Amino acid sequence: MDDYPLLNLFWTMLELFLFILWFFLLFKIISDIFRSHDMGGWGKAGWLIFVILLPFLGVFVYLIVRGRSMGERDLEQAKQADAAFKAYVKEAAAGEGGGTGTGTAGGAGSHVDELAKLAGLRSSGAISEEEFRKAKEILLS
């Protein structure tokens, strides 16, 4: 290690970073090819063969031709994942405590709705923090 200059170490680290970045980009494009719903099977096969046989040219041409729609597909997938998470949280909050035998007619969903209303009143300034805390204790007891 004594005969390896510091500049060569930085150069080696840059090459390693670019190598990892290249594989990340390549796998991102390959996954985007399979995820795309606006292409048929032959189109996907053609792009995949182009990207695998001529990787540098294939990746750059793919980014030029389909780069914008690639970002739109990423955004749409993120929106779907967010909507699924929010639906799961609502379902879990509504179902929580439903089978405990508390005997309340409204169930846990009404508690969640009431807490949301209280939080809205607090954020709008209609009630103070102390009034919110007292109402929350009454609601949850």
Side-chain angles (χ1 to χ4, degrees), residues 44-95:
K44 290 179 183 183
W47 274 113
L48 192 61
I49 289 170
F50 188 41
V51 167
I52 290 174
L53 292 181
L54 299 170
F56 288 109
L57 184 63
V59 165
F60 293 130
V61 169
Y62 188 85
L63 287 175
I64 290 169
V65 173
R66 297 184 50 86
R68 181 179 305 269
S69 62
M70 187 173 166
E72 291 168 358
R73 280 187 294 281
D74 281 342
L75 185 63
E76 183 63 32
Q77 183 180 14
K79 285 180 182 178
Q80 288 175 355
D82 187 49
F85 175 72
K86 286 180 180 179
Y88 171 74
V89 168
K90 284 182 182 179
E91 178 184 323

Side-chain angles (χ1 to χ4, degrees), residues 1-137:
M1 195 68 184
D2 293 333
D3 60 342
Y4 199 68
L6 185 62
L7 189 57
N8 285 354
L9 178 67
F10 289 140
W11 184 253
T12 303
M13 290 177 69
L14 178 66
E15 288 175 344
L16 180 66
F17 172 74
L18 292 175
F19 185 70
I20 292 170
L21 183 67
W22 169 253
F23 275 107
F24 174 77
L25 182 62
L26 185 66
F27 289 130
K28 177 78 174 158
I29 287 178
I30 290 173
S31 66
D32 186 66
I33 290 171
F34 286 112
R35 186 180 54 188
S36 178
H37 295 293
D38 60 342
M39 265 195 301
W42 287 106
K44 290 179 183 183
W47 274 113
L48 192 61
I49 289 170
F50 188 41
V51 167
I52 290 174
L53 292 181
L54 299 170
F56 288 109
L57 184 63
V59 165
F60 293 130
V61 169
Y62 188 85
L63 287 175
I64 290 169
V65 173
R66 297 184 50 86
R68 181 179 305 269
S69 62
M70 187 173 166
E72 291 168 358
R73 280 187 294 281
D74 281 342
L75 185 63
E76 183 63 32
Q77 183 180 14
K79 285 180 182 178
Q80 288 175 355
D82 187 49
F85 175 72
K86 286 180 180 179
Y88 171 74
V89 168
K90 284 182 182 179
E91 178 184 323
E96 183 179 298
T100 60
T102 58
T104 58
S110 64
H111 291 300
V112 174
D113 294 337
E114 291 297 321
L115 284 173
K117 288 177 186 176
L118 284 172
L121 288 172
R122 179 186 59 178
S123 64
S124 69
I127 60 173
S128 67
E129 182 67 35
E130 184 179 340
E131 291 171 328
F132 171 76
R133 193 171 9 93
K134 286 180 183 177
K136 185 172 96 172
E137 287 175 8

